[in-house]
Amino acid sequence: MVGFVLTVIFGFWLSHLGKPYHQIVFNFHKLIALAAVVMVGLQFSKWFKSGEIQPQLILLVVLIAILTIILFASGALMSLEKLNYDLLRLLHRIAPVGLALLGVWIFLVQR
């Protein structure tokens, strides 16, 4: 949760600094995002190893993985200025909202 919030905060800060991206803020944004993904992956691994997997959890993991891939890919392509920047930025702004909603859903499923 903290990693997600910090990633979003650094992302907003980065977007307000404009292009070219400020390298220190950009690198913190990427590293915090990567750390958050690793932490979530470890948590999912624990749930799967417990053997008490609900079918909803598998769907949530797949959706979270897809949104995470979209975030990493769109962020990388935006920084390289490849493809349509406006479309990539839109994807990069929508995906965190989806992740937050899925996080709430996971919280409700695990109760």
Side-chain angles (χ1 to χ4, degrees):
M1 173 74 172
V2 173
F4 178 77
V5 171
L6 286 174
T7 302
V8 171
I9 289 170
F10 273 90
F12 276 120
W13 187 15
L14 191 60
S15 68
H16 288 315
L17 291 174
K19 290 184 91 172
Y21 293 129
H22 188 277
Q23 287 302 308
I24 293 173
V25 178
F26 182 60
N27 287 326
F28 272 117
H29 174 70
K30 291 189 302 183
L31 290 173
I32 293 169
L34 181 59
V37 168
V38 169
M39 297 305 292
V40 168
L42 290 172
Q43 183 62 44
F44 287 156
S45 175
K46 287 179 189 177
W47 286 339
F48 285 114
K49 286 179 183 177
S50 73
E52 298 177 17
I53 304 168
Q54 299 172 348
Q56 294 173 352
L57 186 58
I58 295 171
L59 173 63
L60 290 172
V61 169
V62 169
L63 292 174
I64 287 171
I66 290 169
L67 288 174
T68 302
I69 291 167
I70 288 170
L71 278 170
F72 275 85
S74 62
L77 292 171
M78 282 192 318
S79 68
L80 296 173
E81 298 183 5
K82 301 290 181 186
L83 304 174
N84 184 336
Y85 181 82
D86 292 330
L87 174 63
L88 293 170
R89 186 176 59 190
L90 179 64
L91 289 172
H92 206 72
R93 289 181 175 176
I94 291 172
V97 174
L99 284 174
L101 293 174
L102 291 173
V104 170
W105 188 7
I106 283 180
F107 178 74
L108 296 173
V109 168
Q110 289 300 310
R111 296 192 117 213

